[in-house]
C-alpha cells in the first residue's frame, strides 16, 4: 500500500468519525496538505450533510470551492464543530509538529477555534520525540535575523525557506536539529521571541484524536 493510499484511508476514517456529528448547522474546519486534500475530496461526498467549512489556507479554500463546498471566513462562522488536518510528526501524547506546507498559523487558529481536533496521518509520521522534521516558524520579515539568532540559542539550525511567503505575508524559518523533549515548553518559549507569529509545535492544544493508517489497517490514538 502506498503512502498516498494510507493518507486516503486515514482521511476516509475521519469521515466515518465525524459524519454522525454533523447536521445542517455544522461548520467543519479543514486543514492543509496532501492528507487534508484527501479529506477534502472525501468530504465532497457528504457535502449536503453540513452547512459550511472554514479553511486553514487559500489552497484548501480553492479545493473546497472546486468541490462546491461553501467556505466561510472564520469570523463569520460562529462555532466550528471539528477541525481535521494532517501533520508532519505525531508523538505518543498526540502532540504534533506541523507546518511543512507553511500554513501553520492559520492551522493553529482554526484548530484553537474548534471544539475537537482530529489529526489524520499515515504511520510514517509517528515518532517517539518530535524534531527530526525541521520545525517551521512563521516570522515577520523584518525580524528574520533576530529570530534566527534566538533559535540558534535553543540549539537549532534555522534555514530561511526560499521563495516562500505565507498566506499572511510572512516568511518561514525551518529549524533543523531540535530534539523536542518538552513540546509545550518549547512551543511557548519560541512564541515569546519578538517577531515570531507562530511555530509548528502543536502541544498546548494537542490533537484530541489521531487517526493513523498503516499497512495493517487504521487505528486511533
Ligand atoms: C501544512 C501542514 C500539513 O498538515 C503537514 O505538512 C502534513 O502534510 P501532508 O499531509 O502533505 O504530509 O502542517 O502546513
Amino acid at each position: 500500500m502506498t503512502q498516498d493510499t494510507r493518507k486516503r484511508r486515514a482521511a476516509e476514517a475521519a469521515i466515518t468519525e465525524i459524519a454522525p456529528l454533523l447536521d445542517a448547522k455544522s461548520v467543519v474546519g479543514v486543514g492543509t496538505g496532501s492528507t487534508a486534500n484527501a479529506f477534502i475530496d472525501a468530504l465532497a461526498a457528504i457535502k449536503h450533510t453540513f452547512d459550511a467549512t472554514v479553511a486553514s489556507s487559500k489552497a484548501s479554500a480553492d479545493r473546497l470551492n472546486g468541490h462546491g463546498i461553501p467556505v466561510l471566513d472564520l469570523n463569520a462562522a460562529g462555532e466550528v464543530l471539528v477541525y481535521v488536518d494532517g501533520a508532519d510528526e505525531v508523538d505518543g501524547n498526540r502532540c504534533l509538529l506541523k507546518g511543512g506546507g507553511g500554513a501553520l498559523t492559520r492551522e493553529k487558529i482554526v484548530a484553537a477555534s474548534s471544539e475537537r481536533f482530529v489529526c489524520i496521518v499515515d504511520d510514517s509520521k509517528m515518532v517517539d520525540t518530535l524534531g527530526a522534521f525541521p520545525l517551521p516558524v512563521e516570522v515577520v520579515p523584518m525580524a528574520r535575523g533576530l529570530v534566527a539568532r534566538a533559535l540558534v540559542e535553543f540549539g537549532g539550525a534555522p534555514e530561511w525557506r526560499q521563495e516562500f511567503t505565507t498566506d499572511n505575508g510572512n516568511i518561514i524559518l525551518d529549524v533543523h536539529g531540535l530534539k523536542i523533549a518538552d513540546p509545550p515548553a518549547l512551543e511557548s518559549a519560541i512564541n515569546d521571541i519578538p517577531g515570531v507569529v507562530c511555530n509548528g509545535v502543536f502541544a498546548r492544544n494537542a490533537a484530541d484524536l489521531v487517526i493513523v493508517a498503516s499497512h495493517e489497517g487504521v487505528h486511533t490514538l
Side-chain angles (χ1 to χ4, degrees):
M1 199 190 300
T2 65
Q3 187 182 24
D4 280 348
T5 304
R6 283 176 280 146
K7 288 180 179 188
R8 210 166 47 244
R9 293 270 162 88
E12 288 162 357
I15 297 289
T16 305
E17 176 73 27
I18 69 166
L21 311 175
L22 300 176
D23 63 31
K25 289 185 179 158
S26 301
V27 175
V28 179
V30 177
T32 298
S34 55
T35 318
N37 282 345
F39 174 72
I40 292 170
D41 296 346
L43 193 64
I46 59 163
K47 66 181 178 186
H48 301 298
T49 67
F50 57 93
D51 179 32
T53 58
V54 168
S56 63
S57 64
K58 292 176 183 166
S60 291
D62 288 347
R63 198 177 185 98
L64 287 158
N65 283 324
H67 282 296
I69 301 173
V71 181
L72 299 176
D73 181 286
L74 178 62
N75 293 307
E79 192 173 276
V80 182
L81 183 70
V82 62
Y83 178 63
V84 181
D85 196 1
D88 298 301
E89 290 183 339
V90 179
D91 76 10
N93 295 318
R94 299 191 302 277
C95 293
L96 316 175
L97 192 155
K98 288 182 50 53
L104 59 153
T105 299
R106 294 188 184 201
E107 291 171 345
K108 205 174 272 194
I109 291 169
V110 183
S113 303
S114 304
E115 272 181 45
R116 193 168 160 76
F117 179 6
V118 176
C119 181
I120 49 176
V121 290
D122 69 86
D123 54 347
S124 70
K125 307 291 183 69
M126 299 306 299
V127 299
D128 291 330
T129 306
L130 301 177
F133 190 94
L135 174 67
V137 180
E138 180 164 351
V139 177
V140 173
M142 72 170 287
R144 175 167 51 89
L146 174 73
V147 173
R149 288 190 292 278
L151 290 168
V152 169
E153 296 289 311
F154 283 111
E159 184 185 7
W160 182 11
R161 196 180 294 186
Q162 293 296 306
E163 291 171 28
F164 185 85
T165 304
T166 70
D167 284 351
N168 313 307
N170 296 312
I171 62 154
I172 297 279
L173 295 176
D174 290 305
V175 190
H176 298 254
L178 292 173
K179 249 194 156 207
I180 306 177
D182 185 344
L186 188 72
E187 181 178 5
S188 295
I190 293 177
N191 282 345
D192 280 348
I193 305 169
V196 168
V197 177
C198 184
N199 72 81
V201 178
F202 284 54
R204 301 186 66 82
N205 182 24
D208 297 299
L209 178 75
V210 180
I211 297 175
V212 187
S214 69
H215 294 281
E216 285 72 45
V218 171
H219 69 277
T220 56
L221 258 187

